[in-house]
Amino acid sequence: MELDASTTADGERVYIDRKRAERGAEGPFYLVFTDADADERWGFACGNCGSLDTAMDTMGRIQCTDCGNLRKPDEWDAAHE
């Protein structure tokens, strides 16, 4: 498996798997790992703007805090709006 190495704003080395992604409104969210063997998941990288500054809520919604790219939650109901 070949992963792209990147560095977070805090200087931490992370590895982006561009073959494993979640669909976003503006582009995919790629899975990011703390190790090159992809054993320990770190978070997501935004495929729209390249940012590692993303957030996920308890319902599975992923959002890039830089460009606003959004993945809708896995499940939702009107009570959560």
Side-chain angles (χ1 to χ4, degrees):
M1 171 184 339
E2 189 172 319
L3 305 179
D4 296 334
S6 188
T7 305
T8 69
D10 296 332
E12 182 179 358
R13 188 84 158 163
V14 294
Y15 301 87
I16 303 170
D17 186 345
R18 298 205 185 274
K19 293 181 180 169
R20 294 168 54 187
E22 298 287 338
R23 179 179 290 166
E26 304 296 324
F29 286 98
Y30 299 110
L31 273 66
V32 179
F33 298 88
T34 60
D35 61 316
D37 295 327
D39 291 327
E40 201 169 319
R41 198 157 141 190
W42 182 84
F44 294 93
C46 179
N48 185 51
C49 71
S51 175
L52 292 169
D53 194 5
T54 61
M56 178 184 238
D57 67 16
T58 58
M59 294 182 59
R61 179 184 354 237
I62 306 168
Q63 184 167 11
C64 176
T65 57
D66 285 345
C67 73
N69 187 17
L70 180 67
R71 176 186 179 267
K72 293 183 179 181
D74 294 328
E75 296 180 22
W76 64 275
D77 62 41
H80 291 93
E81 294 298 314

